[in-house]
Structures are given as C-alpha cells and as structure tokens.
Amino acid sequence: MNAMLMVIYAVFTIAALVTMWRIVVGPSILDRAVASDVLLTLVICVLGAEMAINGHTRTLPVLLIIAAVGVFGSISIARFVARRDNLDR
C-alpha cells in the first residue's frame, strides 16, 4: 500500500476518533449534529484522497450519496430543533 495513503488514513482515523468522542459526549443535539457532519466530511475526504492517489473514479457515486445523506440529515435535525424551540415558547 502507498505510504502517502497510510499517512492519510492515520490522520483521518485520529480525526474520526475525536469526532466520535464528540458525538458520544454531546452535550447537546446540535453538538452531535455538527460532529456527525464532520464525520461524514472525513469519510468523503478519505474516499476522495483514495480516488486521487489511485487515479480512479469508481467511488464517486458513493461520495455523492454520502454528501446527500449529510445534507438531508442536517436539514432534518435543524427542523427538529427549530420545531422543538417553537413548542417551548
């Protein structure tokens, strides 16, 4: 395996572990939502780096699906929090 790819995997693994810690610890739903967006972004970056290093585009549909899931998830959480805040008033 390429040494550059191993370094990228190591850096992104550390970042993913820190992000997972934020998802578990919280303390609010918005902190967890931002952390899950960061985790999805890390996955997209790892797949993009792997595509660039190996010179292929086979995982491009996966990147698009992950990006769509991230956007729709963020919108859903934002609507949930906004609706909950309106009910509390």
Side-chain angles (χ1 to χ4, degrees):
M1 187 173 278
N2 194 347
M4 175 87 103
L5 196 58
M6 292 301 292
V7 170
I8 289 171
Y9 283 160
V11 169
F12 281 121
T13 300
I14 293 168
L17 290 174
V18 172
T19 303
M20 290 296 292
W21 176 255
R22 177 51 58 193
I23 290 173
V24 171
V25 171
S28 72
I29 191 169
L30 294 177
D31 290 331
R32 289 182 172 103
V34 169
S36 53
D37 282 344
V38 169
L39 189 62
L40 285 176
T41 303
L42 287 171
V43 170
I44 290 171
C45 288
V46 167
L47 289 174
E50 190 269 331
M51 279 180 16
I53 289 172
N54 292 329
H56 67 83
T57 58
R58 291 185 303 268
T59 55
L60 191 59
V62 176
L63 290 175
L64 295 174
I65 291 170
I66 292 172
V69 166
V71 168
F72 294 138
S74 297
I75 291 170
S76 300
I77 291 171
R79 289 187 66 165
F80 171 75
V81 170
R83 186 173 296 150
R84 189 180 65 183
D85 286 345
N86 286 338
L87 293 176
D88 290 340
R89 291 182 191 187

